[in-house]
């Protein structure tokens, strides 16, 4: 792994140390897992460190930010960007606790001995820009300087016939640059930013999706009830996810306690409604949208990205469940669809990781199956039909409650695969600002799930010669559409949010490269 800009390590070390101290209790387990890779990174950097002599202030700042983000990316890669004990939880808890006066060790202690050492100063926040701190993140200047930098890049012919853009200062919320920013266009997968904010706002970051089994004593029917969790797994290594194997074992044990050894097996998918097939049609990028599926209905061992899918996810999940029950001594009939009644007796259940973790996984890998499931859960929470249209209405209503600018916004789905979707750059940057609001720590997973340039998710193979580690952004790609929206730490250490959307592109590779150059220019720009 190549980590750029390691030369200022000695200067950056105090900054990294302060951040590490701030999150050490919650990162201990993740750090242990990542230690061998961090050691290799340090050994690789050592020859360059010895050559450090002088550097400008901005070089120190950029170097410190790069090293800090690079090391964070190593931990993320080792433990998974959605690890419940990793940085995401530390950031969320830090934001939630900002109203307090600091930790137990950071204030005057009544009754302390007169000669006792003074309390240690409070550590800097993990994401200063998100916490509203003023020591390292300042309000960024706007105006002609940004236009001078961005206009030529956005005029690149590879970005097609229509380009829209917006840049805002995360600390102040001030718009620094706009180019047709209010014009609603096809956003592709940057739609997932809106889906994330809507789902977290409607359900809360700790909400879990539950798959359960019930028994109808009058009919002897065992029903597998789908909870709309596409991450439900039947893999043996599915630690941390809702596990169909565990559900089968506990269901069998519950049936045996009542003397039942045979049952009619059914499955219930009625949590979701309407058409299951996405408007894009049969496609390796998404399964049928069903309230019951196992491992996203993939027919291979993949966990993200395109893959062939089973023709009927719910029926296949039920057949797998029947096979698992048989290993525990329960014989069932061939499964068919049904609906659990209020008379059904609960047997067992398994729960997904918290919603914040699902959002991070969706954002990092641009997971379409999770996105469509979460959009339908927003519909369920709003009392709307849990279909494509109901999910779109519920998402709009939820974002409206948050006071976001929705002029021209259209949600035909939650994933961004639907070309009828319409969002503008102003809305995308407003969503990022809302997720960064210290008063809304419940939305923070929208940001912490963003892929890290050059390190994670859909940006892992990009920015090799650019702003690796400094840009975190959601990608968007459809035929003729390329988009990028996220955050960037610029040359002065300021945190900016941006959205770049291009339509009419003819070559996705050159269009992506042009967008990456534009985000890199933001990272390298002092723009005073």
């Amino acid at each position: 792994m190549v980590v750029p800009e390691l030369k200022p390590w000695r200067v950056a070390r105090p900054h990294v140390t302060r951040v590490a101290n701030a999150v050490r209790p919650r990162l201990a387990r993740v750090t242990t897992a990542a230690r061998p890779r961090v050691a290799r990174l340090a050994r690789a950097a050592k020859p360059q460190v010895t050559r450090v002599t002088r550097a400008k202030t901005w070089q120190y700042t950029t170097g410190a930010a790069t090293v800090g983000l690079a090391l964070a990316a190593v931990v993320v890669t080792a433990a998974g960007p959605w690890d419940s004990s990793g940085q995401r939880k530390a950031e969320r808890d830090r934001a939630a606790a900002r109203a307090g006066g600091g930790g137990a060790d950071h204030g005057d202690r009544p009754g302390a001995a007169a000669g006792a050492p003074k309390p240690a100063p409070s550590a800097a926040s993990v994401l200063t820009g998100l916490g509203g701190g003023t020591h390292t993140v300042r309000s960024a200047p706007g105006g002609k300087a940004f236009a001078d930098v961005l206009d030529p890049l956005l005029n690149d012919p590879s970005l097609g016939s229509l380009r829209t853009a917006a840049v805002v200062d995360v600390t102040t919320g001030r718009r620094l640059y706009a180019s047709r920013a209010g014009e609603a266009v096809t956003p592709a997968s940057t739609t997932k930013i809106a889906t994330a904010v809507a789902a977290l706002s409607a359900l809360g970051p700790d909400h879990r999706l539950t798959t359960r089994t019930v028994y109808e004593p009058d009919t002897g029917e065992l029903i597998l009830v789908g909870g709309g969790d596409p991450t439900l797994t039947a893999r043996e290594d599915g630690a941390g996810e809702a596990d169909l194997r565990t559900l089968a074992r506990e269901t069998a044990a519950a049936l045996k306690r009542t003397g039942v050894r045979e049952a009619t097996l059914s499955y219930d998918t009625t949590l979701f409604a309407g058409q299951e097939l996405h408007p894009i049609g049969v496609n390796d990028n998404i399964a049928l949208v069903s309230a019951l599926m196992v491992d996203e209905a993939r027919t291979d061992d993949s966990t993200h990205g395109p893959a062939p899918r089973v023709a009927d996810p719910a029926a296949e999940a039920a057949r797998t469940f029947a096979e698992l029950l048989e290993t525990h001594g329960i014989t069932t009939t061939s499964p068919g669809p049904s609906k659990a009644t209020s008379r059904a007796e609960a047997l067992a259940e398994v729960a997904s990781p918290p919603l914040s973790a699902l959002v991070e996984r969706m954002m990092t890998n641009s997971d379409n199956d999770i996105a469509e499931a979460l959009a339908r859960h927003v519909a369920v929470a709003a009392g709307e039909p849990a279909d494509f249209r109901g999910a779109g209405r519920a998402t709009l209503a939820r974002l409206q409650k948050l006071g976001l600018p929705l002029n021209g916004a259209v949600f035909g789905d939650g994933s961004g695969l639907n070309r009828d979707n319409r969002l503008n750059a102003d809305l995308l940057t407003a969503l990022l600002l809302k997720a960064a609001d210290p008063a809304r720590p419940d939305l923070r997973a929208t940001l912490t799930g963003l892929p890290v340039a050059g390190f994670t998710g859909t940006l892992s193979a990009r920015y090799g010669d650019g702003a690796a580690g400094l840009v975190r952004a959601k990608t968007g790609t459809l035929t003729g559409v390329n988009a990028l929206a996220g955050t960037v730490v610029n040359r002065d250490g300021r945190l900016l949010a941006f959205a770049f959307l291009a339509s009419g592109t003819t070559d996705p590779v050159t269009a992506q490269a042009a967008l990456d150059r534009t985000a890199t220019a933001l990272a390298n720009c002092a723009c005073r």
Side-chain angles (χ1 to χ4, degrees), residues 132-150:
T134 59
H135 296 295
T136 60
V137 178
R138 296 159 287 174
S139 62
K144 187 175 182 300
F146 277 89
D148 289 344
V149 170
L150 297 180

Side-chain angles (χ1 to χ4, degrees), residues 421-432:
N421 289 339
R422 291 292 184 273
L423 299 180
N424 59 46
D426 276 342
L427 174 56
L428 288 170
T429 52
L431 286 162
L432 294 166

Side-chain angles (χ1 to χ4, degrees), residues 505-520:
T505 59
T506 58
D507 183 346
V509 175
T510 58
Q512 287 174 5
L515 292 176
D516 291 349
R517 285 194 296 271
T518 307
T520 297

Side-chain angles (χ1 to χ4, degrees), residues 77-429:
T77 303
W82 45 86
D83 189 283
S84 61
S85 64
Q87 187 174 1
R88 177 198 60 76
K89 192 171 191 302
E91 290 169 352
R92 185 189 68 191
D93 291 350
R94 168 66 179 168
R98 287 196 77 255
D105 297 328
H106 294 280
D108 292 332
R109 292 168 292 172
K118 293 292 184 182
S122 294
S125 60
V126 177
L127 292 178
T128 309
L130 306 186
T134 59
H135 296 295
T136 60
V137 178
R138 296 159 287 174
S139 62
K144 187 175 182 300
F146 277 89
D148 289 344
V149 170
L150 297 180
D151 281 350
L153 293 166
L154 290 172
N155 285 331
D156 189 321
S158 65
L159 291 178
S161 56
L162 175 60
R163 308 89 180 232
T164 69
V167 179
V168 298
D169 182 341
V170 171
T171 306
T172 67
R174 186 160 66 98
R175 189 164 76 174
L176 307 173
Y177 176 84
S179 176
R180 305 176 75 167
E183 188 167 346
V185 297
T186 303
S189 278
T190 58
T191 301
K192 293 182 176 74
I193 298 174
T195 302
V197 170
L200 290 165
S201 173
L203 303 169
D206 297 321
H207 181 76
R208 295 174 186 262
L209 312 181
T210 302
T211 305
R212 58 195 178 95
T213 53
V214 299
Y215 185 70
E216 298 278 5
D218 296 339
T219 61
E221 184 180 15
L222 170 63
I223 304 177
L224 175 62
V225 182
D229 176 14
T231 67
L232 176 69
T233 185
R235 296 188 174 107
E236 293 183 359
D237 59 347
E241 297 176 340
D243 185 359
L244 194 67
R245 294 173 180 272
T246 299
L247 185 63
R249 183 180 68 251
E250 295 182 357
T251 298
L255 289 172
K256 289 177 181 178
R257 284 195 293 269
T258 61
V260 175
R261 300 276 179 167
E262 298 181 359
T264 298
L265 180 60
S266 301
Y267 54 90
D268 182 347
T269 63
T270 58
L271 178 65
F272 292 170
Q275 180 178 328
E276 293 184 333
L277 180 64
H278 189 279
I280 200 174
V282 176
N283 192 288
D284 285 354
N285 285 291
I286 189 169
L288 294 181
V289 184
S290 172
L292 176 63
M293 66 173 65
V294 173
D295 295 311
E296 298 185 339
R298 296 171 181 271
T299 60
D300 57 20
D301 293 330
S302 65
T303 58
H304 59 273
R309 312 302 178 101
V310 301
D312 189 338
E316 184 64 25
R319 284 192 288 269
T320 301
F321 188 62
E323 294 171 359
L324 293 171
L325 284 172
E326 189 172 7
T327 65
H328 293 286
I330 301 296
T331 302
T332 65
T333 61
S334 179
S338 185
K339 178 175 172 57
T341 71
S342 58
R343 300 185 304 275
E345 300 173 354
L347 295 178
E349 65 179 39
V350 290
S352 73
L355 188 69
S356 55
L358 298 183
V359 164
E360 288 183 323
R361 177 170 169 175
M362 172 188 73
M363 297 291 282
T364 299
N365 293 328
S366 199
D367 193 302
N368 298 310
D369 299 289
I370 294 177
E372 296 303 344
L374 294 187
R376 276 167 163 70
H377 280 286
V378 174
V380 171
E384 291 274 5
D387 55 17
F388 285 109
R389 290 186 177 181
R393 288 194 298 269
T395 298
L396 272 174
R398 176 56 55 175
L399 299 183
Q400 187 174 33
K401 288 182 180 179
L402 294 173
L404 293 162
L406 295 169
N407 292 340
V410 176
F411 292 98
D413 69 5
S415 63
L417 290 174
N418 192 331
R419 304 183 71 88
D420 291 337
N421 289 339
R422 291 292 184 273
L423 299 180
N424 59 46
D426 276 342
L427 174 56
L428 288 170
T429 52

